[in-house]
Amino acid sequence: MKHDTSVPWPNGARCAVMLTFDFDAETLWTSRDERNWNRPGVLSQGRYGAKLGVPKLLEMLSEEGLPATFFVPGWTVENHRDRVDMILKEGHEIGHHSYSHKWVADDPAAEAEEFERGLASLAAAGVAPKGFRSPAGEVSAGLLATQARHGLLYDSSLMDDVSPYRHVLADGSKGPIELPWHWSLDDAPFALFSVASPRPIFPNSNMLEIWKAEFREIYRWGGLFDLVMHPQITGRPSRIALLREMVAFIRTFPSVWFATGAQVAEAWAALEAEGKV
């Protein structure tokens, strides 16, 4: 029995590609261990993402004529507002990414507070997000309902498909559209290093090989290629070059649609309304 994963993407595209960046900055480190607030060396890794990673990535995206989605925690919005404004000025999408990047899916009250506080920070920066991505994919069913209540169009936290789908909430009502991702398409497992829990940093060629192999098959299946990156990781010099090489590889395939999360979700919602998905 064949299980169809293909989506009739706009303008006859065979595959949709999202270039997404989780702009966590220092919160990636403080959410793991609050003692890191007093460790300038550790925090400098996250600060690189804001100081240099974001501007250099925006430069690359502009040169390549590509849209992107940046998922930004509220703390990052408040403490790196100039970079948020820079992202908006370049015409990219900003999505919701909690407030402090804490993993709190097992604590409904804390999860709700993280969501509401992050939403308020985005609003203060003039951003009404259409999408949400939870830290490390940790999201509860309750938060999906909260997203729907606040009118968010899509979530990008789960890993159970290669094509978008609609969440159905406990009461039977429609939830957000899911735009799935996967750890194999995230730069962190390959290149995020911590002295507290050291692990190898893989060669860029290793990351590129897996990303290319995943794209090749998702393209064949007709799904969504949702690439997850971090300015403090892929914003490093050689990895910006890696991203350029990945984009060049993708462009060797005909009928590929580069889009923001909001554009993908809106297109899928239109297909849903027409009964085509």
Side-chain angles (χ1 to χ4, degrees):
M1 179 184 294
K2 182 178 180 181
H3 181 71
D4 190 11
T5 56
S6 64
V7 176
W9 297 111
N11 302 315
R14 172 69 184 176
C15 178
V17 173
M18 285 170 55
L19 302 179
T20 73
F21 299 90
D22 292 0
F23 180 20
D24 306 324
E26 291 94 327
T27 68
L28 178 64
W29 304 96
T30 57
S31 61
R32 292 173 168 221
D33 186 345
E34 291 191 358
R35 293 174 297 179
N36 285 336
W37 283 117
N38 298 314
R39 293 170 175 158
V42 172
L43 294 182
S44 68
Q45 299 170 91
R47 194 161 54 250
Y48 174 91
K51 183 179 179 180
L52 200 55
V54 166
K56 295 303 288 185
L57 286 166
L58 289 175
E59 181 181 290
M60 175 264 175
L61 291 167
S62 177
E63 290 170 354
E64 296 290 340
L66 294 168
T69 299
F70 288 76
F71 292 97
V72 189
W75 186 94
T76 302
V77 174
E78 294 171 0
N79 290 273
H80 297 292
R81 177 65 181 271
D82 59 334
R83 294 309 190 236
V84 171
D85 291 342
M86 187 182 292
I87 293 166
L88 292 172
K89 185 178 180 180
E90 289 293 316
H92 300 292
E93 177 189 9
I94 287 183
H96 191 349
H97 196 43
S98 82
Y99 178 78
S100 68
H101 205 264
K102 291 179 180 177
W103 305 352
V104 290
D106 57 347
D107 184 339
E111 186 180 51
E113 180 183 2
E114 278 279 307
F115 185 89
E116 299 290 347
R117 195 175 175 189
L119 198 63
S121 298
L122 288 167
V127 177
K130 292 188 176 182
F132 176 84
R133 173 174 286 158
S134 64
E138 297 292 330
V139 61
S140 73
L143 192 60
L144 292 170
T146 299
Q147 291 179 48
R149 187 169 66 252
H150 281 281
L152 269 67
L153 176 63
Y154 73 89
D155 179 75
S156 186
S157 304
L158 304 184
M159 297 178 270
D160 52 352
D161 212 318
V162 297
S163 298
Y165 64 90
R166 172 76 70 177
H167 284 287
V168 178
L169 303 179
D171 62 2
S173 63
K174 286 185 175 181
I177 296 165
E178 186 65 37
L179 305 183
W181 68 293
H182 190 263
W183 285 116
S184 61
L185 294 177
D186 187 315
D187 59 7
F190 303 97
L192 181 64
F193 181 84
S194 169
V195 172
S197 54
R199 60 186 179 186
I201 295 177
F202 288 92
N204 289 345
S205 58
N206 182 282
M207 198 183 327
L208 191 61
E209 180 181 350
I210 292 175
W211 287 2
K212 285 181 175 180
E214 277 286 296
F215 174 78
R216 190 179 292 109
E217 289 307 297
I218 290 175
Y219 177 88
R220 188 171 68 85
W221 290 13
L224 168 65
F225 184 78
D226 186 355
L227 192 58
V228 180
M229 297 164 285
H230 301 75
Q232 60 187 281
I233 301 175
T234 295
R236 296 295 305 179
S238 69
R239 297 193 193 110
I240 293 177
L242 176 154
L243 180 55
R244 286 185 188 275
E245 186 175 347
M246 185 66 203
V247 167
F249 172 77
I250 291 171
R251 283 176 163 163
T252 65
F253 291 74
S255 302
V256 173
W257 179 39
F258 286 93
T260 65
Q263 290 170 332
V264 170
E266 287 164 355
W268 193 91
L271 293 169
E272 180 188 42
E274 297 170 4
K276 294 181 178 179
V277 289

